Amino acid sequence: METIMIVEDEQAIALLLKYNLEKAGYQTISVSHGNRVLAAVEKNLPSLILLDWMLPEISGLELCKIIRNNPELKNIPIIMLTAKGQEEDKVSGLSAGADDYVTKPFSVPELLARIKTNLRRVSTTSAPAKKEYVFHDITLNAIEKKVFRGENYVRVGPTEFRILKLLLSNPRQVFSRQDLLKEVWGNSVYVEARTVDVHIRRLRKALNEFGPDYIRTIRATGYSLDDHEIGEEDGEY
Ligand code: CA
């Protein structure tokens, strides 16, 4: 079971997080004092840390830097929680080594999605690189950077290639636009969610020239690669 460390001095928020994370199947450790975080992290080695920015004694930002400078701990994903919404705070949070940034008040489903994405990224980066990804007649060669449908070479742009690779490595998993933005574009650039739709459309166009549409649109949610029956939930994008 994955353990999430909650570092938050406001008890109401800490309890809300604990309740929802445990309901979602995670184990939690709560720490309310900044100066107890390092000892707790070293003792329990959490899978991910939710780190509040505004803490007494030592700020979340300082803690983030300390954790990132510790070779044993530096790979633990950190999501900063903060009431600050300014872009410059986001930049300093990310440059201090946070993997992601969530502004309070946050929506629980969104936070859970971010946690999932950050945990998955750790597991995919530590897994050995795979050369070929296959789904039905679609084949993506990650070394040669080529896509085929059956015998047909499919010409796709670099962004479409990365999207397809992500979808192929997790067939039938639904990715929200935010997941795709984070995984494909990274969290250091600001890209509109609608941009995802544009690239999905291009990818579909390129792939569907040679076979059926396996990209599923889940209205108001996101996309997945699926050999589904075409149903009414499929929106037009
Ligand atoms: Ca706080």
Side-chain angles (χ1 to χ4, degrees), residues 8-10 52 54:
E8 171 63 80
D9 61 311
E10 281 164 77
D52 183 30
M54 300 292 278

Side-chain angles (χ1 to χ4, degrees), residues 94-172:
L94 294 175
S95 66
D99 296 277
D100 209 345
Y101 181 97
V102 173
T103 308
K104 291 179 198 171
F106 49 85
S107 92
V108 171
E110 205 210 318
L111 182 65
L112 289 174
R114 301 276 194 103
I115 289 172
K116 230 176 170 175
T117 304
N118 280 280
L119 287 172
R120 191 171 55 226
R121 200 163 47 162
V122 178
S123 61
T124 50
T125 47
S126 51
K130 202 172 150 183
K131 189 183 165 215
E132 215 169 62
Y133 298 82
V134 180
F135 187 81
H136 289 266
D137 59 336
I138 303 170
T139 308
L140 178 148
N141 186 310
I143 312 288
E144 295 171 14
K145 303 255 185 273
K146 282 179 184 164
V147 178
F148 290 91
R149 267 206 100 160
E151 298 296 304
N152 304 294
Y153 172 65
V154 184
R155 195 176 294 275
V156 293
T159 304
E160 287 73 48
F161 184 89
R162 289 200 296 275
I163 293 173
L164 182 62
K165 188 178 165 191
L166 180 67
L167 295 176
L168 280 168
S169 46
N170 305 276
R172 295 175 195 90

